[in-house]
Amino acid sequence: MSLARRQFLTAAATVPLAAMPGLPAFATDAGLEKALSDLATAHPGRVGIGVRDLATGATTLVGGGRRFPMQSVFKFPIGIAVLDAADRGALTLDQTVKLTPADMSVAWSPLRDRLAGQPGEDTVRELLELMVAQSDNTACDVLLGMIGGPEAVTALLRAKGIDGVRVDRAERELQTGVYGLPWRPELVDWETFKAAARALDPAARRASMLAYLDDPRDTSTPEGMLDLLAAFHDGRMLSEAGTAELRRIMLSTTTGTKRLKAGVPPGWRVAHKTGSGWTVDGLSPANNDVGLLIAPNGRTLAIAVFIAGSTAPMEEQEALIAAAARAATAD
């Protein structure tokens, strides 16, 4: 972070919230930092959390500069890149995309399951909704191919001044690589995928998972994700129409109902993107949730919660994410 930016955030953090008429009271930065730090310290895994008040710029970070695997959180910047392509006229949201069995991807994909081995078609808008709101891996890989691949996404982020987030692989390569599986077409079937992963030598499989946790590819820092969320919210990533479209989709996200959404007070809205990894050998690669927490009066917080290498049950990981949202929005 630049010195100028640190000075801005430090100054913004000193603005008394009580002096800002019409705004709800939030936990002080010191109180929030302690609450988030306590959550991270108590968890059996690596935790990074960032919260930014987009009205004042006040930012609270725990592990803010450390890199975490995004898993499907990376579909948020990919969605931005798709809408940027639409803004530039490189594609339209209403154009039809023909799909074949060869386009199907691994692990979670309602689209693949719906087509059941048959060809089909969807619009770019429908694929975007599937990718973000339902976290569909096939939709992700198809859209990535249309916009120039992961390199184009990271290039866009850098061009917009976002340094803490990077996208490097499609879902096929990423998900198989976590467990040490070479990609092959039959792995699009989830049961076949799981059986192949379980058939690997346990030591080799665990070594692959540990290597994934240290791999800088497809990662974000909590601070970097806050920067991206703030730039998206402020309209610095997309046109007004593109920003509204992606916000609409993120508000309709169906995954992660026990994460950020479970922690906010009644009346708050959550525009978010989750990311989850398949737990094997008692080790969870990643479980995350990032997004915008929107108060009834429009006050907006950016939040990013990353959990990597956890040995806790999924319920405890999701409870941690909900607790972080609860702390961020506490009176």
Side-chain angles (χ1 to χ4, degrees), residues 66-92:
R66 193 170 186 183
R67 288 200 165 271
F68 291 82
M70 284 190 286
Q71 280 286 323
S72 285
V73 164
F74 81 163
K75 291 166 182 167
F76 168 49
I78 292 171
I80 288 174
V82 171
L83 286 160
D84 173 74
D87 284 344
R88 293 183 285 104
L91 54 77
T92 68

Side-chain angles (χ1 to χ4, degrees), residues 94-235:
D94 294 326
Q95 75 182 65
T96 299
V97 181
K98 295 189 179 300
L99 303 166
T100 72
D103 295 317
M104 301 301 105
S105 193
V106 298
W108 177 252
S109 177
L111 173 59
R112 178 200 61 224
D113 297 343
R114 168 165 60 85
L115 293 178
Q118 300 301 309
E121 61 180 39
D122 277 316
T123 64
V124 170
R125 189 190 309 276
E126 289 167 337
L127 291 174
L128 183 63
E129 290 175 346
L130 281 164
M131 178 181 72
V132 177
Q134 297 187 43
S135 207
D136 193 293
N137 289 350
T138 295
C140 177
D141 285 359
V142 169
L143 289 172
L144 260 182
M146 293 181 66
I147 60 174
E151 302 84 0
V153 181
T154 298
L156 173 63
L157 295 174
R158 298 296 176 268
K160 297 287 189 176
I162 307 299
D163 297 324
V165 183
R166 56 181 287 180
V167 177
D168 299 271
R169 292 168 288 186
E171 288 282 15
R172 284 181 177 180
E173 181 186 358
L174 190 158
Q175 298 303 337
T176 54
V178 172
Y179 309 99
L181 284 170
W183 159 250
R184 54 185 192 271
E186 58 265 33
L187 294 180
V188 299
D189 177 77
W190 181 223
E191 294 305 319
T192 300
F193 182 103
K194 290 190 291 185
R198 289 182 176 128
L200 295 169
D201 174 72
R205 182 176 57 230
R206 188 171 183 84
S208 292
M209 293 178 69
L210 293 174
Y212 170 73
L213 292 172
D214 287 333
D215 194 333
R217 293 178 297 173
D218 303 295
T219 60
S220 175
T221 64
E223 184 175 26
M225 186 55 63
L226 293 185
D227 290 343
L228 179 57
L229 287 163
F232 166 67
H233 171 76
D234 294 343

Side-chain angles (χ1 to χ4, degrees), residues 1-14:
M1 182 191 294
S2 69
L3 175 61
R5 181 168 178 172
R6 287 189 185 279
Q7 290 172 335
F8 165 75
L9 293 178
T10 299
T14 65

Side-chain angles (χ1 to χ4, degrees), residues 43-44 279 282 284 287 310-319:
H43 191 80
T279 299
S284 175
N287 281 297
S310 177
T311 57
M314 174 67 78
E315 293 79 9
E316 291 184 19
Q317 297 183 57
E318 293 192 315

